[in-house]
């Protein structure tokens, strides 16, 4: 191992500390901090100076649909939603474009969105099996526990592709579209360097997934690693919250209060309310420019300092919740409980439908059909999507789902009998065959497909509302496309039983996008966040008889040390202000050492003593790169002061060589460690 690479050797990461040199730890390089293990909090220092940009462009990279929106910094009250490029699906109104991507057989980017889907659909089946078509792939970043830059995704034809390539192709596509639209708007070529980019991610995403998105942005050329501040990772429910607090009464539906809101009569049902809401969206969409009031919206005229609300982003992949408290008069926000949620998005309903098809037609057939007739499978899911959106609690008439001819035909070849026969033979009596070649589902069958997903959401919400931090909630904002589901709305309404008012913005699907633009214009609006996990590093402490276990004892040069001691930076659910720093000092073991690499550990629980405790995992590395900062005269103990910031949407590190006052390159890597 070279000097530069000596990562796990204690010599690289230890410190001289107040005590003399510690020795090799049992499980892990131990570090004795040079300074005592206290958090020094200074919220004013080290907040990077704001660079000015001409425009903020936010990209909402969704599981099922994506889009961008922008605002010129000189005209922050106008948010422009991306112009539409192509058509839509029958029976489905989307404000974003589907997150579908098509690569040529040799792996080159071909198209994105409806264009990708239509082109793929029109390919000859013998050709299409060579093309790489992907959809609903964002969830992979949440569900892969060992996410890395090498993680792969499965295309519709069963071939593997690198996830980093797919995400970067998609971001590159959005970059080009946005720059083209901006150039058209201003009448001259618009450069990416004038843009502050914002990418939204679910708040429950772990650090590796956020870093993956950043890496994909670097790869796509959206921004460069030398200017990381040009890209902000925004958290989806936070973005929604920023927008919701600016809502005016005519931009939302109050589900819980049956009083007249925006002229609605008190007798209105949820369904009719949403129909009217859509009409307003459609009218607005003609210009696709939304005006955000600079003053606090009328909703806030009802709010007092310290009022609390919950934002629930119900998307395609995840349901993400955040609890905020408002500080007036500026409307700054404070997070009251760490972001929570889970993979309970609307695609759960699609999976239930797939399971139902497997029950009727057999898993072996469905698996084969997906691989052999991928375009027909996409058609079938599009047909299902429009019927899924028609599901409602009060519905009594059946829902018909068109089976593609290719399904009927392939089934006959595969099994030797008809789909009608399969339906009759199956024990599924709530799905019938209609003579027009359709699956006829009774409404209960459709509602049953929603049940597991909705139950998860309700369970999560009830647990959340039990937490002491989540008391006295005034509003619950329902955002994200899935919030349009009357079944979900009703379930939430029943669960809350009038505990707080449920507010649904009209353009649920665009709330996150608009909020993300506002966040890009002023990222300091969220003043306090909660750490989702406990973070720290392993250090050596002086061994104390009776306090430390004997198996952790280590003797070095006559001194007894306790290894693997967890030096906590921050606790799970601890509140931390924006710009607040945790300060630690480290020193290279040898003057010639160029890199200090320190392992970072995390845990869901707060009570951690050793890095070997159950539930404590190594989750990343802190890397201090001393290249080029060698002092002319090496002091006996070279102090590298490191500051870690936990109050932002990503964990950030900065470091300073105390002797020379020079910045040391510091980075945290949660992806490749
Ligand atoms: N009326 C409806 N009933 C049921 N589901 C609906 C309805 N309207 C939209 N959806 C679902 O909402 C999802 C799209 O919502 P949205 O665009 O917020 O998700 P996303 O941003 O793609 O996902 P995520 O935020 O989880 O990454 C789709 O899965 C769609 O099926
Ligand atoms: Mg979303």
């Amino acid at each position: 191992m070279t000097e530069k690479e000596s990562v796990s050797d204690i010599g690289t990461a230890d410190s001289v500390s107040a005590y003399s040199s510690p020795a090799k730890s049992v499980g892990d390089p131990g570090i004795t901090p040079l300074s005592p293990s206290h958090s020094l909090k200074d919220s004013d220092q080290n907040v990077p100076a704001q660079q000015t940009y001409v425009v903020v462009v936010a990209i909402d990279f969704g599981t099922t649909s994506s889009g961008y929106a922008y605002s010129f910094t000189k005209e922050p009250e106008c948010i422009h939603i991306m112009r539409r490029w192509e058509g839509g699906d029958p029976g489905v109104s989307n404000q974003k474009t589907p997150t579908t991507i098509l690569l040529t057989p040799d792996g080159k980017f071909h198209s994105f969105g409806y264009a990708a889907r239509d082109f793929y659909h029109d390919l000859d089946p013998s050709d299409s099996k060579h093309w790489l078509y992907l959809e609903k792939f964002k969830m992979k970043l949440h569900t892969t526990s060992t996410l890395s830059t090498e993680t792969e995704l499965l295309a519709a034809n069963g071939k593997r592709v690198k996830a980093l390539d797919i995400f970067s192709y998609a971001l590159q596509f959005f970059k080009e579209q946005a720059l083209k639209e901006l150039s058209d708007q201003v009448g001259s070529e618009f450069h990416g360097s004038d843009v502050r980019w914002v990418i939204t991610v679910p708040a429950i995403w772990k650090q590796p997934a956020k870093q993956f998105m950043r890496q994909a942005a670097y790869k796509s050329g959206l921004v460069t690693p030398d200017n990381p501040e040009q890209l902000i990772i925004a958290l989806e429910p936070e973005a929604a919250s920023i927008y919701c607090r600016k809502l005016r009464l005519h931009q939302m539906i109050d589900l819980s209060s049956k009083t007249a809101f925006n002229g609605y009569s008190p007798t209105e049902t949820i369904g009719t309310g949403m129909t009217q809401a859509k009409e307003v969206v459609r009218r607005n969409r003609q210009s696709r420019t939304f005006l955000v009031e600079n003053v606090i919206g009328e909703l806030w005229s009802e709010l007092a300092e310290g009022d609390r609300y919950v934002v629930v982003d119900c998307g395609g992949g995840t349901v993400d919740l955040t609890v905020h408290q408002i500080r007036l008069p500026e409307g700054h926000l404070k997070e009251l409980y760490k972001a929570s949620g889970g993979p309970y998005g609307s695609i759960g309903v699609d999976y239930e439908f797939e399971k139902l098809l497997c029950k009727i037609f057999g898993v072996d057939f469905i698996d084969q059909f997906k691989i052999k007739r991928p375009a027909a499978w996409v058609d079938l899911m599009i047909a299902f999507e429009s019927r899924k959106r028609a599901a409602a609690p009060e519905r009594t008439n059946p829902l018909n789902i068109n089976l593609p001819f290719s399904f009927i035909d392939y089934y006959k070849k595969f099994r030797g009998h008809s789909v009608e026969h399969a339906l009759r033979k199956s024990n599924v009596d709530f799905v019938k065959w209609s003579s027009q070649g359709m699956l006829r589902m009774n409404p209960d069958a459709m509602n049953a497909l929603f049940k597991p997903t909705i139950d998860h959401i309700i369970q999560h919400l009830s647990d959340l509302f039990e937490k002491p931090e989540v008391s006295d909630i005034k509003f619950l904002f329902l955002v994200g496309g899935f919030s349009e589901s009357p079944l979900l709305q009703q379930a939430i309404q029943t669960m809350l039983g009038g505990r707080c008012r449920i507010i649904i913005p009209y353009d649920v699907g665009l709330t996150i996008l608009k909020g993300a633009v506002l966040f890009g214009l002023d990222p300091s609006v969220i003043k306090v966040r909660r750490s989702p996990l406990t973070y720290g590093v392993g250090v050596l402490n002086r061994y104390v008889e009776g306090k430390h276990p004997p198996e952790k004892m280590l003797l070095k040069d006559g001194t007894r040390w306790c290894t693997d001691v967890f030096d906590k930076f921050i606790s799970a659910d601890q509140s931390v202000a924006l710009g607040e720093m945790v300060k630690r000092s480290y020193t290279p073991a040898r003057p010639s050492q160029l890199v200090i690499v320190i392992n970072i550990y995390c845990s869901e629980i707060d009570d951690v003593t050793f890095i070997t405790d159950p539930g404590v995992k190594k989750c990343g590395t802190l890397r201090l790169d001393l290249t080029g900062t060698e002092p002319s005269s090496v002091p006996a103990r070279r102090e590298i002061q490191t500051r870690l910031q936990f109050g932002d949407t990503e964990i950030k590190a900065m470091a300073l060589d105390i002797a020379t006052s020079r910045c040391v390159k510091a980075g945290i890597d949660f992806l490749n460690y």
Side-chain angles (χ1 to χ4, degrees):
M1 204 185 287
T2 67
E3 188 90 85
K4 208 173 165 181
E5 291 165 339
S6 54
V7 170
S8 55
D9 181 358
I10 178 66
T12 60
D14 72 347
S15 70
V16 194
S17 88
Y19 328 110
S20 62
S21 170
K24 203 164 186 112
S25 125
V26 185
D28 185 79
I31 306 149
T32 39
L34 192 65
S35 57
S37 301
H38 299 136
S39 266
L40 293 181
K41 294 170 179 177
D42 40 14
S43 359
D44 309 326
Q45 292 179 40
N46 269 305
V47 180
Q50 292 285 316
Q51 197 175 327
T52 50
Y53 298 96
V54 177
V55 69
V56 168
V57 180
I59 301 172
D60 176 359
F61 199 129
T63 307
T64 51
S65 56
S66 301
Y68 65 86
Y70 56 94
S71 180
F72 292 94
T73 47
K74 282 212 173 104
E75 205 187 18
E77 64 286 356
C78 280
I79 301 176
H80 310 266
I81 304 290
M82 66 176 192
R83 64 183 170 202
R84 309 191 129 241
W85 324 300
E86 341 98 336
D89 288 328
V92 174
S93 100
N94 269 325
Q95 294 157 342
K96 299 187 280 176
T97 204
T99 310
T100 47
I101 190 164
L102 182 65
L103 310 188
T104 60
D106 56 352
K108 301 234 164 55
F109 174 80
H110 180 273
S111 45
F112 188 91
Y114 290 111
R117 213 150 78 173
D118 293 348
F119 189 90
Y120 185 61
H121 184 265
D122 293 343
L123 281 171
D124 189 85
S126 59
D127 277 343
S128 71
K129 60 175 183 265
H130 302 296
W131 287 65
L132 302 152
Y133 178 79
L134 293 106
E135 58 179 9
K136 298 177 188 168
F137 52 85
K138 176 185 167 191
M139 284 302 283
K140 182 86 177 177
L141 301 194
H142 180 68
T143 52
T144 310
S145 55
T146 53
L147 187 68
S148 79
T149 45
E150 299 306 312
T151 298
E152 290 180 323
L153 299 172
L154 216 51
N157 63 357
K159 291 209 174 119
R160 293 176 180 283
V161 270
K162 263 179 85 173
L164 193 68
D165 290 342
I166 297 302
F167 280 84
S168 87
Y169 283 143
L171 290 174
Q172 195 177 351
F173 173 79
F174 277 110
K175 176 188 172 184
E176 281 163 17
Q177 294 295 325
L179 289 182
K180 227 185 280 168
E181 183 168 344
L182 287 165
S183 302
D184 290 350
Q185 277 252 353
V186 298
S188 61
E189 202 186 332
F190 208 90
H191 296 286
S193 54
D194 290 330
V195 180
R196 166 160 255 182
W197 298 94
V198 180
I199 301 179
T200 66
V201 304
I204 52 162
W205 265 17
K206 304 245 159 34
Q207 296 300 325
K210 291 180 190 170
Q211 192 184 330
F212 187 97
M213 212 40 145
R214 183 169 274 286
Q215 222 76 52
Y218 292 152
K219 187 156 198 221
S220 71
L222 197 71
V223 289
T224 60
D226 348 318
N227 192 11
E229 301 291 326
Q230 199 187 346
L231 169 67
I232 303 180
I233 299 287
L235 308 180
E236 287 160 10
E238 271 192 13
S241 171
I242 291 168
Y243 178 71
C244 284
R245 85 197 203 297
K246 295 217 168 193
L247 274 178
R248 299 182 71 86
L249 299 184
H250 63 274
Q251 295 169 321
M252 64 192 206
I253 293 170
D254 189 334
L255 258 200
S256 38
S257 93
K258 290 274 167 63
T259 52
F261 232 90
N262 185 32
Y264 293 160
S265 85
T267 51
E268 251 172 357
T269 62
I270 302 166
T272 53
M274 286 312 283
T275 314
Q276 289 199 15
K278 277 181 200 143
E279 279 163 10
V280 175
V281 172
R282 222 171 289 137
R283 276 201 302 279
N284 283 349
R285 213 189 279 149
Q286 284 167 0
S287 70
R288 308 274 292 169
T289 297
F290 294 80
L291 284 179
V292 180
E293 303 301 322
N294 236 348
V295 293
I296 298 297
E298 287 167 50
L299 185 62
W300 299 113
S301 60
E302 299 183 39
L303 276 182
E305 165 76 25
D307 272 350
R308 300 144 165 247
Y309 62 88
V310 175
V311 179
V312 190
D313 171 18
C314 305
T318 45
V319 169
D320 237 350
L321 297 95
T322 194
V323 188
H324 276 162
Q325 185 171 39
I326 188 142
R327 287 179 181 173
L328 296 174
E330 298 93 344
H332 287 157
L333 298 170
K334 174 181 175 187
E335 192 171 44
L336 292 179
Y337 187 71
K338 62 182 183 208
S340 70
Y344 323 132
S346 177
I347 57 172
V349 183
D350 309 353
Y351 289 137
E352 286 301 314
F353 177 61
E354 192 177 326
K355 265 164 63 185
L356 178 69
L357 292 177
C358 289
K359 200 163 163 194
I360 301 171
F361 302 106
V363 185
D364 54 342
F365 166 71
I366 296 294
D367 284 350
Q368 276 303 300
F369 177 68
K370 279 164 78 175
I371 297 276
K372 292 281 167 30
R373 301 280 189 277
W377 175 254
V378 171
D379 271 359
L380 176 55
M381 292 317 284
I382 292 171
F384 174 69
E385 180 69 32
S386 94
R387 304 331 295 145
K388 171 183 162 190
R389 294 190 186 199
E394 72 277 15
R395 194 180 175 104
T396 50
N397 52 330
L399 293 140
N400 291 328
I401 298 158
N402 224 336
L403 271 193
F405 170 74
S406 161
F407 188 99
I408 300 167
D409 180 55
Y410 190 67
Y411 185 78
K412 182 97 200 211
K413 283 193 189 124
F414 191 88
R415 288 265 192 259
H417 58 246
S418 68
V419 292
E420 189 181 355
H421 178 82
L423 270 163
R424 250 187 288 115
K425 290 265 290 183
S426 76
N427 294 330
V428 182
D429 55 0
F430 37 78
V431 182
K432 299 262 180 290
W433 180 244
S434 97
S435 51
Q436 286 103 37
M438 295 197 251
L439 289 181
R440 205 170 163 77
M441 284 181 82
N442 82 27
D444 290 343
M446 182 55 100
N447 296 0
L449 300 183
F450 277 75
K451 192 167 182 312
T453 307
I454 290 184
D455 284 354
H456 272 302
I457 299 172
I458 296 301
Q459 184 61 51
H460 189 89
L461 265 175
S462 352
D463 292 348
L464 185 77
F465 271 77
E466 291 296 308
K467 312 266 182 225
E469 299 90 335
V470 192
S471 55
D472 299 326
I473 296 296
K474 195 153 186 175
F475 294 109
L476 180 134
F477 290 100
L478 261 184
V479 302
F482 193 15
S483 295
E484 290 208 54
S485 162
L487 286 169
L488 178 62
Q489 293 173 6
Q490 195 195 47
I492 293 181
Q493 208 172 9
T494 309
M495 178 253 141
L496 284 174
R499 261 187 283 183
C500 64
R501 277 164 64 187
I502 306 172
I503 308 280
I504 308 177
Y506 281 149
D507 42 2
V508 274
L510 296 179
T511 316
I512 288 132
L513 254 186
K514 293 193 238 170
V517 172
L518 296 177
F519 183 59
L521 290 165
D522 178 15
S524 69
V525 60
I526 303 199
K527 291 288 179 220
V528 179
R529 287 192 175 83
R530 299 265 175 163
S531 175
L533 295 171
T534 298
Y535 287 99
V537 294
V539 296
L540 296 176
N541 275 0
R542 281 266 203 192
Y543 187 82
V544 180
E545 200 77 53
K547 180 183 169 198
H548 293 134
E551 67 273 16
K552 297 275 182 207
M553 207 264 280
L554 196 86
L555 196 62
K556 174 87 179 165
D557 300 333
T559 308
R560 296 197 304 167
W561 297 91
C562 179
T563 62
D564 298 338
V565 177
F566 185 73
D567 172 26
K568 193 191 288 175
F569 290 161
I570 192 157
S571 298
D573 204 32
Q574 184 179 327
S575 71
V576 48
L578 189 66
E580 192 175 304
M581 301 283 178
V582 173
K583 233 194 267 178
R584 294 288 189 278
S585 286
Y586 301 106
T587 187
R590 293 173 294 276
S592 58
Q593 192 180 328
L594 294 178
V595 180
I596 301 180
V597 179
I598 299 164
N599 290 332
I600 298 179
Y601 294 84
C602 70
S603 164
E604 303 219 343
I605 56 163
D606 190 13
D607 186 18
V608 180
T609 314
F610 296 105
I611 55 167
T612 48
D613 284 359
V616 179
K617 283 193 312 237
K618 183 179 161 192
C619 64
T621 52
L622 166 66
R623 186 184 164 91
L624 306 173
D625 187 346
L626 310 176
T627 336
T629 56
E630 299 87 340
S632 42
S633 64
V634 181
R637 282 174 196 171
R638 187 172 168 202
E639 182 183 350
I640 310 296
Q641 191 181 76
T642 310
R643 289 155 183 268
L644 295 142
Q645 194 181 323
F646 292 92
D648 217 329
T649 56
E650 295 168 277
I651 299 175
K652 292 175 186 161
M654 282 150 270
L656 196 71
D657 189 333
I658 292 295
T660 58
S661 298
R662 274 162 56 191
C663 277
V664 168
K665 231 165 90 187
I668 300 192
D669 195 342
F670 291 103
L671 258 190
N672 309 297
Y673 56 89

